[in-house]
Amino acid sequence: MSRTPAESLSSSSHGARHVAIIMDGNGRWAKRRGMPRTVGHRAGVNALKRTVEAAPTLGVEWLTVFGFSTENWSRPASEVSELMGLLKSYVQSDLARLEREGVRVHIIGRRHGLAQDILDIIQHAEARTRDNDRFHLQVAFNYGGRADIAEAALRYARDVAAGRASTDVTDEALFGSYLSTAASPPPDLIIRTSGERRLSNFLLWEAAYAELVFQDVMWPDYGPDALSAAIAEFKSRDRRFGGVDSNDVLASR
Ligand code: IPE
Ligand code: IPE
Ligand code: MG
């Protein structure tokens, strides 16, 4: 998770290897059309399919999407159950294709509190795609950045108590390995749609040096063009990771 300055400089010259998206605006998209929010969520699944298809063609290797937050339980029960159902139907309808296309599926977030049928489908999707590595699709479901950090701290403390980890050093990389995102590199680019400009508890630890891009498009209208525009914006940024501009490094030699 932590980088040396050399790694930082070399990664800054690359594209957006890991893109994470806060898929927002389904409800407003539907409302503007005089339709119930659930229609927006269903249209959002089609946007997700378009985006997953486009991402590898734009140089993305990891795509993390925020599907359901630990705070989304406060929505009406009917909407929560619609969102649960959509995760199930998305996996059921697309898993064979994802598996065939070399996509490895990872689901991050709290498993506790999810119904058995959802747990079964998550486990099935991860097991069936375990040997794939052409592209990684990471779905944050029942995920909250704070909950993830708090749970990592608890597991770390348990390992210390059991003598499996030491308290002599504070090691960011070791702590990062306790997070549910441990398998993925840190996100290079975090996108939020719908015009809102906040993280809403997404990837709090991992976002440390991510570039943030906010787009006004509502999630159901998202697709290859919007993703490509976000990546173009990312490429125009100068990532310094606390160092100096890469041109300044050359100039000072
Ligand atoms: C994003 O759209 C989907 C989820 C949070 C699951 P919203 O449902 O938040 O849509 P808005 O923000 O109300 O428009
Ligand atoms: C964040 O969006 C969660 C997901 C996209 C799953 P929200 O719509 O729940 O966030 P707030 O309520 O606007 O902060
Ligand atoms: Mg929202």
Side-chain angles (χ1 to χ4, degrees):
M1 192 72 69
S2 55
R3 303 173 194 228
T4 65
E7 282 170 333
S8 304
L9 285 173
S10 73
S11 79
S12 67
S13 62
H14 286 100
R17 183 177 171 216
H18 181 178
V19 174
I21 309 183
I22 302 169
M23 310 181 287
D24 198 17
N26 294 351
R28 279 163 285 166
W29 181 91
K31 196 175 170 195
R32 283 177 191 173
R33 287 163 176 75
M35 294 187 292
R37 296 174 58 82
T38 49
V39 176
H41 293 315
R42 280 177 224 154
V45 174
N46 291 329
L48 175 63
K49 292 180 183 180
R50 290 193 293 274
T51 306
V52 169
E53 208 166 300
T57 70
L58 294 166
V60 178
E61 295 168 30
W62 278 81
L63 180 69
T64 300
V65 292
F66 205 0
F68 190 87
S69 78
T70 46
E71 288 70 40
N72 287 148
W73 292 104
S74 64
R75 296 189 179 201
S78 57
E79 184 169 343
V80 169
S81 105
E82 172 76 19
L83 291 167
M84 297 287 155
L86 284 176
L87 175 76
K88 257 171 75 177
S89 62
Y90 172 64
V91 173
Q92 275 158 353
S93 72
D94 277 42
L95 186 60
R97 192 175 54 79
L98 293 170
E99 184 186 12
R100 213 171 39 241
E101 290 176 359
V103 178
R104 181 163 179 185
V105 178
H106 309 255
I107 317 275
I108 56 169
R110 192 178 262 170
R111 301 281 159 109
H112 182 76
L114 295 177
Q116 193 57 47
D117 59 341
I118 300 283
L119 293 173
D120 290 345
I121 211 139
I122 287 174
Q123 202 254 330
H124 179 62
E126 290 188 328
R128 279 239 335 237
T129 61
R130 182 173 293 141
D131 296 328
N132 286 348
D133 64 0
R134 193 182 76 82
F135 183 76
H136 295 263
L137 173 63
Q138 184 158 254
V139 183
F141 200 82
N142 196 21
Y143 174 88
R146 285 183 173 178
D148 208 52
I149 293 168
E151 280 163 22
L154 187 62
R155 282 195 293 273
Y156 195 7
R158 283 193 188 127
D159 277 358
V160 168
R164 290 188 295 264
S166 146
T167 50
D168 294 345
V169 285
T170 311
D171 181 334
E172 289 178 15
L174 176 63
F175 185 76
S177 74
Y178 284 87
L179 295 166
S180 67
T181 50
S184 59
D188 299 294
L189 166 62
I190 296 180
I191 296 167
R192 183 169 189 149
T193 60
S194 88
E196 305 293 359
R197 292 171 179 237
R198 54 178 172 265
L199 287 177
S200 299
N201 205 10
F202 189 45
L203 302 179
L204 298 183
W205 170 279
E206 298 81 351
Y209 274 102
E211 294 297 324
L212 308 181
V213 169
F214 301 101
Q215 295 179 289
D216 288 336
V217 56
M218 296 293 155
W219 178 252
D221 290 328
Y222 211 80
D225 292 349
L227 181 62
S228 165
I231 291 173
E233 164 69 26
F234 166 85
K235 286 183 175 161
S236 76
R237 306 271 180 94
D238 182 25
R239 302 183 81 189
R240 290 190 286 275
F241 299 99
V244 293
D245 185 291
S246 41
N247 293 324
D248 293 344
V249 173
L250 295 174
S252 65
R253 275 189 186 150

